[in-house]
Amino acid sequence: MPDGRVQSVNVGPVAPMPRRPELRSGIDKAPRPGRVAVGPEGLSGDEHGNRAVHGGPDKAVYIYSESDYRHWESVLGRPLAPGTFGENLTVTAPDGAALRIGQRLDVGTATLEVTIPREPCATLGVRMEDPGLPTPFLREGRTGFYTRVITTGLVWAGCGIEIGPEPATDNPTIAEVHGVYASTDRDPEILARMIAAHELPEGWRDWAREKAARA
């Protein structure tokens, strides 16, 4: 049995945001039927408005879980369609918190590698018509996670997800990386593990080095 399944494959073009047409973003994603190709920089047909903070090889595929959707539906008091949070894959599992940086997932015929948690920006508040939402999103730690593409392939709604073994090194988990990023309490042990985790994008390792030096 697979460890999880893809519920929805979501892509979207860069377009003006409703009520904020001066802001162009690719966060408004919608389910794509059939099999969708996964290339080195993400899903076919998907776009990112600000590639300085979204997209690229280290953030090629964004994954968000069904259980986190249920949480936000309860908090917001309304149903949320797949792709609402700008994720490429809405999944039954994993939620990502316990996955380690560098851990691999076989999804459909593609292999992905866990890289970083998603940290919210103001665009999420615009998308949800709730400017304050990024704050609880950050606080709750229900971030979802980004992956890089190790093996290109195809993904589709209903395809299985197999979680690979943990990396041999003691890489931090998504929850640990998010926790040290979102808190003013910079745990030196986690910072050291971030610095040593070669699968972590270099910008994040530089951030950890800076915080460790200040500590």
Side-chain angles (χ1 to χ4, degrees):
M1 293 289 292
D3 298 304
R5 289 195 181 277
V6 172
Q7 286 189 318
S8 180
V9 178
N10 314 301
V11 301
V14 171
M17 298 288 291
R19 306 190 186 192
R20 287 284 303 277
E22 77 281 5
L23 178 62
R24 293 175 59 82
S25 173
I27 195 173
D28 190 4
K29 302 192 188 299
R32 170 71 67 84
R35 299 193 171 209
V36 180
V38 183
E41 295 206 3
L43 274 60
S44 175
D46 196 44
E47 296 180 349
H48 302 278
N50 184 354
R51 289 183 61 83
V53 294
H54 298 292
D58 291 330
K59 294 180 282 188
V61 180
Y62 175 41
I63 299 177
Y64 206 70
S65 75
E66 188 266 349
S67 63
D68 288 334
Y69 262 95
R70 300 293 82 78
H71 169 80
W72 291 115
E73 287 180 335
S74 176
V75 169
L76 300 173
R78 58 188 170 96
L80 300 171
T84 293
F85 291 103
E87 80 278 5
N88 298 116
L89 303 179
T90 315
V91 303
T92 61
D95 66 10
L99 294 178
R100 294 190 180 275
I101 304 304
Q103 197 159 5
R104 294 186 178 184
L105 309 173
D106 290 326
V107 185
T109 64
T111 299
L112 310 178
E113 184 175 83
V114 177
T115 55
I116 53 172
R118 182 263 190 92
E119 304 304 340
C121 62
T123 304
L124 177 63
V126 176
R127 168 77 173 94
M128 301 298 290
E129 299 183 358
D130 182 354
L133 184 64
T135 298
F137 193 90
L138 189 72
R139 183 180 62 244
E140 292 282 347
R142 297 175 179 270
T143 67
F145 60 100
Y146 285 107
T147 65
R148 63 173 60 92
V149 178
I150 301 300
T151 304
T152 60
L154 299 171
V155 294
W156 59 94
C159 72
I161 301 172
E162 300 284 351
I163 301 173
E166 294 185 355
T169 52
D170 187 24
N171 289 358
T173 65
I174 285 291
E176 288 174 324
V177 172
H178 170 76
V180 79
Y181 176 85
S183 171
T184 56
D185 181 16
R186 314 292 190 194
D187 186 322
E189 188 266 342
I190 295 177
L191 290 173
R193 288 162 59 210
M194 289 175 65
I195 294 166
H198 294 287
E199 299 91 343
L200 190 68
E202 192 60 30
W204 280 70
R205 296 174 72 199
D206 287 342
W207 178 89
R209 291 185 186 102
E210 177 189 346
K211 300 304 178 185
R214 288 184 182 180

